[in-house]
Amino acid sequence: MNVASVLTQLRATTPLVHCLTNTVVPQITANVLLAAGAAPAMIDLPEEAGIFAGVASAVLINVGNGSSEQHKAQRTVALAARDAGTPWVLDPVAVGSLPVRTALARELLACSPTAIRGNASEILGLAGTSTGGRGVDATDPVEAAVEVAQELAAEHGTVVAISGQTDVVVSPSRTTRIHGGDPLLPLVIGTGCSLGAVVAAALGATREQPCPHDATVAAHALFAAAGIVAGRDAKGPASFEVVWRDALYALTPDEVAGLAAVEES
């Protein structure tokens, strides 16, 4: 599937994305999912979350800034999603530099995530080859994590996406680079976390004809294209956020494919 076909399917199916995400970004993530064409659900009560994982089209598990109760729910949901065949995304926020979430993310990794999305330092930290970045910010360049991402993808049968100035998506047999975005994008809170949710949405939209690599690329292309559009008119981070979210909503799948440069290697 190409970028346009994945995004067309996303808009046509309105996948229900079950998000167990960090306390900083639930509203931002929900708004971005709605703009992209998906339906958000934020259910992290342990007694309910596992049940809902079998109902949802896809699941996001984001380990950033969560409570002990949410961590319990995340463990339950990862197992439930795996057993139900529900595609799910692991977002290892600030993994490597903080011990509790690092241990949790590595535990969740054993539950076969469909995709992993993080910055270069988080991917290196998840693999145990780095102590992570500066909080949620990467201190390693994207290309430094590509080989490790390929090893993670091969070992766990997953897709690994590395976010940065140029995004890189790897799976056991493919490597794809997505060019686009804008320098203001990292200055808007929650963009990386919501990207993980949109990756889940794309995975959920394509469950009938699964190609996790292409779904992950399409989600990154949508963000990259919206960043290009927003960067043309924004005067700073606040106006960028508004124009960017409008672009996520307004861009057609063909326009996204035309704006974001996707390079297969």
Side-chain angles (χ1 to χ4, degrees), residues 7-256:
L7 297 178
T8 298
Q9 188 72 0
L10 195 161
R11 300 275 172 84
T13 58
T14 317
L16 177 62
V17 183
H18 180 191
C19 301
L20 294 91
T21 194
N22 75 72
T23 56
V24 180
V25 299
Q27 183 173 341
I28 297 163
T29 300
N31 281 332
V32 167
L33 282 170
L34 289 168
M42 308 293 178
I43 298 170
D44 55 11
L45 188 68
E47 293 79 6
E48 296 178 341
I51 299 169
F52 200 78
V55 175
S57 307
V59 171
L60 166 70
I61 298 181
N62 175 315
V63 302
N65 204 44
S67 65
S68 297
E69 183 178 63
Q70 189 191 57
H71 288 178
K72 179 181 177 181
Q74 290 175 340
R75 292 183 177 94
T76 300
V77 165
L79 291 169
R82 182 193 65 186
D83 293 345
T86 303
W88 72 279
V89 176
L90 173 62
D91 194 332
V93 175
V95 160
S97 58
L98 295 168
V100 173
R101 70 184 65 192
T102 299
L104 173 63
R106 290 175 182 164
E107 179 183 343
L108 295 173
L109 186 58
C111 297
S112 305
T114 313
I116 301 165
R117 189 229 64 88
N119 64 40
S121 296
E122 290 164 346
I123 298 303
L124 292 168
L126 181 63
T129 61
S130 166
T131 56
R134 183 173 179 264
V136 299
D137 296 324
T139 54
D140 300 279
V142 168
E143 292 298 328
V146 171
E147 183 176 349
V148 167
Q150 291 167 334
E151 292 169 357
L152 280 172
E155 181 179 354
H156 296 280
T158 187
V159 176
V160 181
I162 315 164
S163 300
Q165 188 171 0
T166 296
D167 299 326
V168 180
V169 176
V170 304
S171 54
S173 61
R174 295 173 61 187
T175 300
T176 308
R177 288 171 173 79
I178 303 99
H179 307 273
D182 188 87
L184 286 173
L185 197 56
L187 300 182
V188 177
I189 193 72
T191 53
C193 295
S194 56
L195 175 55
V198 175
V199 170
L203 293 169
T206 55
R207 286 182 71 173
E208 297 303 314
Q209 296 177 299
C211 183
H213 188 103
D214 287 348
T216 303
V217 168
H220 283 73
L222 175 60
F223 268 50
I228 291 170
V229 171
R232 293 170 181 168
D233 298 324
K235 297 177 175 61
S239 58
F240 181 90
E241 180 178 6
V242 173
V243 182
W244 176 72
R245 189 161 17 123
D246 283 346
L248 291 172
Y249 173 79
L251 283 170
T252 68
D254 286 337
E255 287 171 336
V256 171

